[in-house]
PDB file of all heavy atoms in Angstrom:
ATOM      1  N   ALA A1385     -80.813  26.210-108.095  1.00  0.00           N
ATOM      2  CA  ALA A1385     -80.144  26.763-106.933  1.00  0.00           C
ATOM      3  C   ALA A1385     -79.102  27.793-107.337  1.00  0.00           C
ATOM      4  O   ALA A1385     -78.952  28.813-106.673  1.00  0.00           O
ATOM      5  CB  ALA A1385     -79.576  25.586-106.132  1.00  0.00           C
ATOM      6  N   LEU A1386     -78.415  27.509-108.421  1.00  0.00           N
ATOM      7  CA  LEU A1386     -77.383  28.443-108.853  1.00  0.00           C
ATOM      8  C   LEU A1386     -77.982  29.777-109.299  1.00  0.00           C
ATOM      9  O   LEU A1386     -77.422  30.768-109.118  1.00  0.00           O
ATOM     10  CB  LEU A1386     -76.519  27.821-109.964  1.00  0.00           C
ATOM     11  CG  LEU A1386     -75.519  26.724-109.479  1.00  0.00           C
ATOM     12  CD1 LEU A1386     -74.958  26.076-110.776  1.00  0.00           C
ATOM     13  CD2 LEU A1386     -74.532  27.183-108.649  1.00  0.00           C
ATOM     14  N   LYS A1387     -79.107  29.669-110.153  1.00  0.00           N
ATOM     15  CA  LYS A1387     -79.908  30.864-110.483  1.00  0.00           C
ATOM     16  C   LYS A1387     -80.247  31.743-109.332  1.00  0.00           C
ATOM     17  O   LYS A1387     -80.143  32.878-109.335  1.00  0.00           O
ATOM     18  CB  LYS A1387     -81.056  30.543-111.374  1.00  0.00           C
ATOM     19  CG  LYS A1387     -80.619  30.040-112.790  1.00  0.00           C
ATOM     20  CD  LYS A1387     -81.871  29.502-113.494  1.00  0.00           C
ATOM     21  CE  LYS A1387     -82.797  30.664-113.747  1.00  0.00           C
ATOM     22  NZ  LYS A1387     -84.022  30.262-114.605  1.00  0.00           N
ATOM     23  N   LYS A1388     -80.755  31.069-108.270  1.00  0.00           N
ATOM     24  CA  LYS A1388     -81.199  31.822-107.083  1.00  0.00           C
ATOM     25  C   LYS A1388     -80.054  32.511-106.418  1.00  0.00           C
ATOM     26  O   LYS A1388     -80.154  33.687-106.002  1.00  0.00           O
ATOM     27  CB  LYS A1388     -81.829  30.862-106.098  1.00  0.00           C
ATOM     28  CG  LYS A1388     -82.407  31.530-104.935  1.00  0.00           C
ATOM     29  CD  LYS A1388     -83.119  30.467-103.993  1.00  0.00           C
ATOM     30  CE  LYS A1388     -83.626  31.220-102.747  1.00  0.00           C
ATOM     31  NZ  LYS A1388     -84.279  30.275-101.880  1.00  0.00           N
ATOM     32  N   GLU A1389     -78.859  31.858-106.306  1.00  0.00           N
ATOM     33  CA  GLU A1389     -77.695  32.390-105.682  1.00  0.00           C
ATOM     34  C   GLU A1389     -77.154  33.624-106.592  1.00  0.00           C
ATOM     35  O   GLU A1389     -76.667  34.645-105.913  1.00  0.00           O
ATOM     36  CB  GLU A1389     -76.541  31.312-105.605  1.00  0.00           C
ATOM     37  CG  GLU A1389     -76.835  30.288-104.629  1.00  0.00           C
ATOM     38  CD  GLU A1389     -75.746  29.182-104.531  1.00  0.00           C
ATOM     39  OE1 GLU A1389     -74.744  29.422-105.365  1.00  0.00           O
ATOM     40  OE2 GLU A1389     -75.799  28.248-103.709  1.00  0.00           O
ATOM     41  N   MET A1390     -77.246  33.540-107.875  1.00  0.00           N
ATOM     42  CA  MET A1390     -76.844  34.600-108.734  1.00  0.00           C
ATOM     43  C   MET A1390     -77.703  35.900-108.450  1.00  0.00           C
ATOM     44  O   MET A1390     -77.252  37.020-108.477  1.00  0.00           O
ATOM     45  CB  MET A1390     -76.916  34.283-110.352  1.00  0.00           C
ATOM     46  CG  MET A1390     -75.804  33.197-110.626  1.00  0.00           C
ATOM     47  SD  MET A1390     -76.017  32.572-112.267  1.00  0.00           S
ATOM     48  CE  MET A1390     -75.835  34.007-113.216  1.00  0.00           C
ATOM     49  N   ASP A1391     -78.996  35.607-108.355  1.00  0.00           N
ATOM     50  CA  ASP A1391     -79.956  36.804-108.094  1.00  0.00           C
ATOM     51  C   ASP A1391     -79.609  37.414-106.746  1.00  0.00           C
ATOM     52  O   ASP A1391     -79.582  38.699-106.710  1.00  0.00           O
ATOM     53  CB  ASP A1391     -81.402  36.275-108.108  1.00  0.00           C
ATOM     54  CG  ASP A1391     -81.850  35.886-109.512  1.00  0.00           C
ATOM     55  OD1 ASP A1391     -81.203  36.246-110.474  1.00  0.00           O
ATOM     56  OD2 ASP A1391     -82.870  34.997-109.564  1.00  0.00           O
ATOM     57  N   GLU A1392     -79.438  36.722-105.763  1.00  0.00           N
ATOM     58  CA  GLU A1392     -79.008  37.248-104.406  1.00  0.00           C
ATOM     59  C   GLU A1392     -77.713  38.022-104.528  1.00  0.00           C
ATOM     60  O   GLU A1392     -77.528  39.024-103.891  1.00  0.00           O
ATOM     61  CB  GLU A1392     -78.874  36.086-103.421  1.00  0.00           C
ATOM     62  CG  GLU A1392     -80.275  35.465-103.135  1.00  0.00           C
ATOM     63  CD  GLU A1392     -80.152  34.281-102.204  1.00  0.00           C
ATOM     64  OE1 GLU A1392     -78.933  33.823-101.841  1.00  0.00           O
ATOM     65  OE2 GLU A1392     -81.209  33.737-101.681  1.00  0.00           O
ATOM     66  N   SER A1393     -76.737  37.547-105.248  1.00  0.00           N
ATOM     67  CA  SER A1393     -75.405  38.167-105.352  1.00  0.00           C
ATOM     68  C   SER A1393     -75.618  39.514-106.064  1.00  0.00           C
ATOM     69  O   SER A1393     -74.970  40.562-105.714  1.00  0.00           O
ATOM     70  CB  SER A1393     -74.501  37.320-106.171  1.00  0.00           C
ATOM     71  OG  SER A1393     -74.267  36.084-105.524  1.00  0.00           O
ATOM     72  N   SER A1394     -76.446  39.549-107.100  1.00  0.00           N
ATOM     73  CA  SER A1394     -76.685  40.861-107.828  1.00  0.00           C
ATOM     74  C   SER A1394     -77.301  41.807-106.861  1.00  0.00           C
ATOM     75  O   SER A1394     -76.955  43.028-106.898  1.00  0.00           O
ATOM     76  CB  SER A1394     -77.567  40.581-109.067  1.00  0.00           C
ATOM     77  OG  SER A1394     -77.088  39.742-109.991  1.00  0.00           O
ATOM     78  N   GLN A1395     -78.284  41.537-106.032  1.00  0.00           N
ATOM     79  CA  GLN A1395     -78.887  42.370-105.128  1.00  0.00           C
ATOM     80  C   GLN A1395     -77.887  42.885-104.073  1.00  0.00           C
ATOM     81  O   GLN A1395     -77.850  44.061-103.720  1.00  0.00           O
ATOM     82  CB  GLN A1395     -80.113  41.602-104.388  1.00  0.00           C
ATOM     83  CG  GLN A1395     -80.848  42.501-103.389  1.00  0.00           C
ATOM     84  CD  GLN A1395     -81.548  43.702-104.144  1.00  0.00           C
ATOM     85  OE1 GLN A1395     -82.045  43.545-105.339  1.00  0.00           O
ATOM     86  NE2 GLN A1395     -81.496  44.837-103.537  1.00  0.00           N
ATOM     87  N   THR A1396     -76.989  41.988-103.563  1.00  0.00           N
ATOM     88  CA  THR A1396     -75.978  42.443-102.581  1.00  0.00           C
ATOM     89  C   THR A1396     -75.134  43.419-103.226  1.00  0.00           C
ATOM     90  O   THR A1396     -74.664  44.396-102.551  1.00  0.00           O
ATOM     91  CB  THR A1396     -75.258  41.103-102.123  1.00  0.00           C
ATOM     92  OG1 THR A1396     -76.127  40.143-101.654  1.00  0.00           O
ATOM     93  CG2 THR A1396     -74.145  41.492-101.214  1.00  0.00           C
ATOM     94  N   ALA A1397     -74.686  43.249-104.466  1.00  0.00           N
ATOM     95  CA  ALA A1397     -73.789  44.142-105.149  1.00  0.00           C
ATOM     96  C   ALA A1397     -74.324  45.519-105.214  1.00  0.00           C
ATOM     97  O   ALA A1397     -73.683  46.597-104.970  1.00  0.00           O
ATOM     98  CB  ALA A1397     -73.335  43.601-106.456  1.00  0.00           C
ATOM     99  N   ALA A1398     -75.707  45.627-105.565  1.00  0.00           N
ATOM    100  CA  ALA A1398     -76.355  46.866-105.661  1.00  0.00           C
ATOM    101  C   ALA A1398     -76.438  47.575-104.265  1.00  0.00           C
ATOM    102  O   ALA A1398     -76.205  48.807-104.167  1.00  0.00           O
ATOM    103  CB  ALA A1398     -77.801  46.654-106.227  1.00  0.00           C
ATOM    104  N   ASN A1399     -76.706  46.883-103.221  1.00  0.00           N
ATOM    105  CA  ASN A1399     -76.613  47.457-101.857  1.00  0.00           C
ATOM    106  C   ASN A1399     -75.262  47.959-101.515  1.00  0.00           C
ATOM    107  O   ASN A1399     -75.219  48.985-100.949  1.00  0.00           O
ATOM    108  CB  ASN A1399     -77.090  46.397-100.843  1.00  0.00           C
ATOM    109  CG  ASN A1399     -78.569  45.999-101.077  1.00  0.00           C
ATOM    110  OD1 ASN A1399     -79.367  46.739-101.603  1.00  0.00           O
ATOM    111  ND2 ASN A1399     -78.890  44.796-100.581  1.00  0.00           N
ATOM    112  N   ILE A1400     -74.263  47.352-101.875  1.00  0.00           N
ATOM    113  CA  ILE A1400     -72.879  47.772-101.595  1.00  0.00           C
ATOM    114  C   ILE A1400     -72.607  49.048-102.246  1.00  0.00           C
ATOM    115  O   ILE A1400     -71.922  49.960-101.709  1.00  0.00           O
ATOM    116  CB  ILE A1400     -71.887  46.728-101.912  1.00  0.00           C
ATOM    117  CG1 ILE A1400     -72.033  45.479-100.970  1.00  0.00           C
ATOM    118  CG2 ILE A1400     -70.513  47.234-101.877  1.00  0.00           C
ATOM    119  CD1 ILE A1400     -71.179  44.276-101.407  1.00  0.00           C
ATOM    120  N   LYS A1401     -72.975  49.166-103.576  1.00  0.00           N
ATOM    121  CA  LYS A1401     -72.733  50.466-104.335  1.00  0.00           C
ATOM    122  C   LYS A1401     -73.411  51.569-103.528  1.00  0.00           C
ATOM    123  O   LYS A1401     -72.830  52.680-103.544  1.00  0.00           O
ATOM    124  CB  LYS A1401     -73.265  50.317-105.699  1.00  0.00           C
ATOM    125  CG  LYS A1401     -72.328  49.347-106.602  1.00  0.00           C
ATOM    126  CD  LYS A1401     -72.917  49.297-108.007  1.00  0.00           C
ATOM    127  CE  LYS A1401     -72.057  48.309-108.887  1.00  0.00           C
ATOM    128  NZ  LYS A1401     -72.598  48.237-110.225  1.00  0.00           N
ATOM    129  N   MET A1402     -74.674  51.384-103.111  1.00  0.00           N
ATOM    130  CA  MET A1402     -75.352  52.409-102.441  1.00  0.00           C
ATOM    131  C   MET A1402     -74.674  52.782-101.215  1.00  0.00           C
ATOM    132  O   MET A1402     -74.609  54.013-100.858  1.00  0.00           O
ATOM    133  CB  MET A1402     -76.836  51.862-102.108  1.00  0.00           C
ATOM    134  CG  MET A1402     -77.698  51.798-103.369  1.00  0.00           C
ATOM    135  SD  MET A1402     -79.338  51.000-102.927  1.00  0.00           S
ATOM    136  CE  MET A1402     -79.930  52.339-101.974  1.00  0.00           C
ATOM    137  N   ASP A1403     -74.157  51.897-100.353  1.00  0.00           N
ATOM    138  CA  ASP A1403     -73.425  52.274 -99.183  1.00  0.00           C
ATOM    139  C   ASP A1403     -72.204  53.066 -99.435  1.00  0.00           C
ATOM    140  O   ASP A1403     -71.825  54.003 -98.758  1.00  0.00           O
ATOM    141  CB  ASP A1403     -73.063  51.001 -98.482  1.00  0.00           C
ATOM    142  CG  ASP A1403     -74.305  50.263 -97.846  1.00  0.00           C
ATOM    143  OD1 ASP A1403     -75.329  50.892 -97.681  1.00  0.00           O
ATOM    144  OD2 ASP A1403     -74.190  49.010 -97.518  1.00  0.00           O
ATOM    145  N   ILE A1404     -71.486  52.782-100.535  1.00  0.00           N
ATOM    146  CA  ILE A1404     -70.302  53.376-100.920  1.00  0.00           C
ATOM    147  C   ILE A1404     -70.540  54.875-101.312  1.00  0.00           C
ATOM    148  O   ILE A1404     -69.882  55.818-100.930  1.00  0.00           O
ATOM    149  CB  ILE A1404     -69.494  52.787-102.039  1.00  0.00           C
ATOM    150  CG1 ILE A1404     -69.002  51.303-101.552  1.00  0.00           C
ATOM    151  CG2 ILE A1404     -68.400  53.526-102.637  1.00  0.00           C
ATOM    152  CD1 ILE A1404     -68.435  50.448-102.619  1.00  0.00           C
ATOM    153  N   ALA A1405     -71.604  55.072-102.069  1.00  0.00           N
ATOM    154  CA  ALA A1405     -72.037  56.406-102.316  1.00  0.00           C
ATOM    155  C   ALA A1405     -72.403  57.128-101.199  1.00  0.00           C
ATOM    156  O   ALA A1405     -72.097  58.404-101.118  1.00  0.00           O
ATOM    157  CB  ALA A1405     -73.245  56.375-103.415  1.00  0.00           C
ATOM    158  N   ALA A1406     -73.039  56.546-100.195  1.00  0.00           N
ATOM    159  CA  ALA A1406     -73.418  57.391 -98.899  1.00  0.00           C
ATOM    160  C   ALA A1406     -72.231  57.728 -98.102  1.00  0.00           C
ATOM    161  O   ALA A1406     -72.328  58.691 -97.506  1.00  0.00           O
ATOM    162  CB  ALA A1406     -74.451  56.417 -98.094  1.00  0.00           C
ATOM    163  N   LEU A1407     -71.118  57.019 -98.235  1.00  0.00           N
ATOM    164  CA  LEU A1407     -69.911  57.375 -97.483  1.00  0.00           C
ATOM    165  C   LEU A1407     -69.321  58.655 -97.991  1.00  0.00           C
ATOM    166  O   LEU A1407     -68.606  59.399 -97.170  1.00  0.00           O
ATOM    167  CB  LEU A1407     -68.831  56.249 -97.656  1.00  0.00           C
ATOM    168  CG  LEU A1407     -69.255  54.953 -96.942  1.00  0.00           C
ATOM    169  CD1 LEU A1407     -68.140  53.896 -97.259  1.00  0.00           C
ATOM    170  CD2 LEU A1407     -69.237  55.279 -95.396  1.00  0.00           C
ATOM    171  N   ASP A1408     -69.582  59.086 -99.251  1.00  0.00           N
ATOM    172  CA  ASP A1408     -68.987  60.287 -99.732  1.00  0.00           C
ATOM    173  C   ASP A1408     -69.556  61.503 -99.100  1.00  0.00           C
ATOM    174  O   ASP A1408     -68.945  62.583 -98.915  1.00  0.00           O
ATOM    175  CB  ASP A1408     -69.234  60.405-101.260  1.00  0.00           C
ATOM    176  CG  ASP A1408     -68.383  59.349-102.000  1.00  0.00           C
ATOM    177  OD1 ASP A1408     -67.353  58.902-101.398  1.00  0.00           O
ATOM    178  OD2 ASP A1408     -68.714  59.020-103.144  1.00  0.00           O
ATOM    179  N   HIS A1409     -70.762  61.344 -98.487  1.00  0.00           N
ATOM    180  CA  HIS A1409     -71.502  62.511 -97.786  1.00  0.00           C
ATOM    181  C   HIS A1409     -71.423  62.466 -96.338  1.00  0.00           C
ATOM    182  O   HIS A1409     -72.117  63.066 -95.741  1.00  0.00           O
ATOM    183  CB  HIS A1409     -72.923  62.526 -98.324  1.00  0.00           C
ATOM    184  CG  HIS A1409     -73.048  62.568 -99.796  1.00  0.00           C
ATOM    185  ND1 HIS A1409     -72.768  63.771-100.530  1.00  0.00           N
ATOM    186  CD2 HIS A1409     -73.440  61.639-100.789  1.00  0.00           C
ATOM    187  CE1 HIS A1409     -73.003  63.574-101.851  1.00  0.00           C
ATOM    188  NE2 HIS A1409     -73.370  62.364-102.021  1.00  0.00           N
ATOM    189  N   ARG A1410     -70.593  61.533 -95.797  1.00  0.00           N
ATOM    190  CA  ARG A1410     -70.571  61.366 -94.390  1.00  0.00           C
ATOM    191  C   ARG A1410     -69.535  62.460 -93.723  1.00  0.00           C
ATOM    192  O   ARG A1410     -68.603  62.715 -94.297  1.00  0.00           O
ATOM    193  CB  ARG A1410     -70.082  59.999 -93.931  1.00  0.00           C
ATOM    194  CG  ARG A1410     -70.196  59.655 -92.423  1.00  0.00           C
ATOM    195  CD  ARG A1410     -69.810  58.242 -92.142  1.00  0.00           C
ATOM    196  NE  ARG A1410     -68.427  58.012 -92.512  1.00  0.00           N
ATOM    197  CZ  ARG A1410     -67.764  56.903 -92.279  1.00  0.00           C
ATOM    198  NH1 ARG A1410     -68.518  55.925 -91.728  1.00  0.00           N
ATOM    199  NH2 ARG A1410     -66.586  56.708 -92.622  1.00  0.00           N
ATOM    200  N   TYR A1411     -70.135  63.057 -92.549  1.00  0.00           N
ATOM    201  CA  TYR A1411     -69.290  64.095 -91.882  1.00  0.00           C
ATOM    202  C   TYR A1411     -69.329  63.838 -90.350  1.00  0.00           C
ATOM    203  O   TYR A1411     -70.268  63.108 -89.873  1.00  0.00           O
ATOM    204  CB  TYR A1411     -69.720  65.467 -92.287  1.00  0.00           C
ATOM    205  CG  TYR A1411     -71.155  65.686 -91.847  1.00  0.00           C
ATOM    206  CD1 TYR A1411     -71.339  66.360 -90.646  1.00  0.00           C
ATOM    207  CD2 TYR A1411     -72.190  65.411 -92.720  1.00  0.00           C
ATOM    208  CE1 TYR A1411     -72.731  66.633 -90.383  1.00  0.00           C
ATOM    209  CE2 TYR A1411     -73.500  65.687 -92.387  1.00  0.00           C
ATOM    210  CZ  TYR A1411     -73.685  66.351 -91.165  1.00  0.00           C
ATOM    211  OH  TYR A1411     -75.051  66.580 -90.776  1.00  0.00           O
TER     212      TYR A1411
END
Side-chain angles (χ1 to χ4, degrees):
L1386 289 174
K1387 286 175 66 178
K1388 184 178 180 180
E1389 289 179 3
M1390 290 173 62
D1391 292 341
E1392 291 176 352
S1393 297
S1394 298
Q1395 183 63 39
T1396 300
N1399 293 336
I1400 291 173
K1401 287 179 180 180
M1402 292 173 63
D1403 290 340
I1404 292 172
L1407 288 174
D1408 292 340
H1409 303 286
R1410 188 176 62 178
Y1411 62 91

